[in-house]
Amino acid sequence: MREINLDLLPEDCFAHIMSLTSPQDVCRSAFVSSLIRYMADSDTVWEKFLPSNFEEILSRLVSPLAYSSKKELLSRLSKPQLIDGGRKIFSVEISSNKKCYMLGARELSIKWASHPLYWCWKPLSQSRFAEVAELRTISWLQIEGLLSTRLLSPRTSYGAYLVVNFADRAYGLDSLPSEVSLEVGNFKSQGTVYLSRPKIEKQSLQSIPSVNRIKAMRAKVLQERQAGPGERKDGWTEIELGYFYNDEGDEEVKMCLKEVKGEHLKGGLIVEGIELRPKE
């Protein structure tokens, strides 16, 4: 079989071949030869990895991006960028070139959020948004978000996550499980979750007295089977609301967390927003 000399390929042909790989593969190919390095750094190649509507996305940025190449632009967009007046965040997942969105708390429908007796809005240094919503006290907890599927990458499985934190004074949030749901067209997923900080196992089973070890093992298995809040690298906690496969249609993704069955008061929940990202 004859070997193909990549150095002899036209630039547009090489760009098409590279677009079928990944940004990591393109970077690795640059070590093959100086000519391929030149072609691998070209805008023709890296534009293939950018969202098809990247110019429209750039027009929605709160702060304009400075970049000298499409490769640098992709690198900038792989980091969270505020868009739409600071009410949403956009980024590109660099490993898959898929779009990610986060709806800030101001972009969500939070029951009674405009009533200062129940909720307060305030800046928080840990948040990427100008302000977050903190629950003061309420018995009816309901948080909803909407996003059009046309904004997301087609032919991609997405997960939706409510990003929250808990104030030191948090109370009543895990007395009853909250209901989570996600709906797209005829598809709907539902589940329940207890609103509490992710539990960190600090004690090994060996250190537990033998009389309680069997109970501890059973509790550990049960906990692993139940979906619950997960700790993020940015210090926030995320709760999976559901997942779906995004084809190429134009429908609304409806996401919700609510606890409306209990009549007890609850407070101390801090809401940053809802994130939609490709699901592994």
Side-chain angles (χ1 to χ4, degrees), residues 93 95-96 98-100 152-153 155-161 182 187 189 227-228 238-246 275-280:
E93 188 180 71
S95 60
S96 64
K98 304 294 187 180
K99 301 176 189 177
C100 306
L152 303 171
S153 297
R155 300 178 297 281
T156 303
S157 293
Y158 274 91
Y161 307 86
L182 183 146
F187 172 80
S189 66
E238 67 180 26
I239 298 160
E240 184 173 306
L241 302 177
Y243 60 90
F244 65 100
Y245 180 76
N246 183 41
E275 183 177 69
L276 291 99
R277 65 175 186 262
K279 189 173 176 65
E280 297 178 358

Side-chain angles (χ1 to χ4, degrees), residues 25-277:
D25 291 330
V26 173
C27 291
R28 283 191 286 267
S29 71
F31 292 99
V32 174
S33 71
S34 58
L35 180 58
I36 290 180
R37 185 181 308 118
Y38 166 76
M39 296 174 70
D41 284 337
S42 72
D43 283 351
T44 307
V45 170
W46 287 94
E47 188 166 339
K48 302 285 187 180
F49 296 119
L50 288 168
S52 57
N53 64 333
F54 75 90
E55 292 180 343
E56 184 262 336
I57 291 170
L58 292 179
S59 70
R60 296 160 58 193
L61 291 174
V62 170
S63 302
L65 290 179
Y67 59 94
S68 58
S69 66
K70 296 295 172 55
K71 180 180 180 181
E72 184 180 0
L73 175 59
L74 180 62
S75 176
R76 295 291 183 90
L77 289 178
S78 68
K79 300 174 177 60
Q81 303 291 336
L82 285 169
I83 63 171
D84 296 348
R87 297 168 72 95
K88 297 190 190 83
I89 285 176
F90 173 85
S91 64
V92 177
E93 188 180 71
I94 196 69
S95 60
S96 64
N97 305 324
K98 304 294 187 180
K99 301 176 189 177
C100 306
Y101 277 90
M102 185 168 182
L103 310 178
R106 280 292 187 189
E107 194 71 12
L108 305 179
S109 174
I110 302 176
K111 194 72 172 178
W112 306 112
S114 60
H115 200 301
L117 178 64
Y118 304 123
W119 290 86
C120 70
W121 293 88
K122 64 180 186 180
L124 200 64
S125 60
Q126 299 95 325
S127 177
R128 293 161 290 185
F129 294 100
E131 56 185 355
V132 298
E134 180 172 340
L135 177 60
R136 285 181 168 172
T137 185
I138 208 168
S139 60
W140 186 289
L141 177 62
Q142 185 168 337
I143 303 169
E144 298 178 326
L146 290 173
L147 189 72
S148 173
T149 58
R150 66 178 178 80
L151 297 176
L152 303 171
S153 297
R155 300 178 297 281
T156 303
S157 293
Y158 274 91
Y161 307 86
L162 179 65
V163 181
V164 301
N165 223 323
F166 301 89
D168 292 336
R169 64 174 188 85
Y171 63 93
L173 295 169
D174 59 353
S175 299
L176 288 175
S178 294
E179 300 173 19
V180 294
S181 63
L182 183 146
E183 188 174 352
V184 185
N186 296 324
F187 172 80
K188 184 173 184 179
S189 66
Q190 294 177 297
T192 59
V193 64
Y194 281 92
L195 291 179
S196 61
R197 293 181 178 87
K199 292 180 174 59
I200 302 174
E201 200 67 45
K202 295 182 179 179
Q203 192 177 27
S204 67
L205 289 177
Q206 286 76 12
S207 65
I208 300 175
S210 58
V211 68
N212 294 323
R213 193 169 298 163
I214 294 177
K215 291 182 180 180
M217 291 177 66
R218 287 176 179 170
K220 188 172 186 293
V221 170
L222 180 60
Q223 184 179 0
E224 288 175 350
R225 287 179 180 174
Q226 292 177 335
E231 190 172 7
R232 294 162 55 99
K233 293 180 180 179
D234 57 11
W236 289 82
T237 295
E238 67 180 26
I239 298 160
E240 184 173 306
L241 302 177
Y243 60 90
F244 65 100
Y245 180 76
N246 183 41
D247 209 340
E248 295 189 77
D250 184 5
E251 298 180 291
E252 290 284 343
V253 185
K254 301 176 183 178
M255 303 153 285
C256 180
L257 177 141
K258 64 181 180 180
E259 199 291 281
V260 299
K261 294 180 179 178
E263 298 180 355
H264 65 285
L265 293 176
K266 37 198 165 277
L269 182 68
I270 302 172
V271 179
E272 186 182 34
I274 293 179
E275 183 177 69
L276 291 99
R277 65 175 186 262

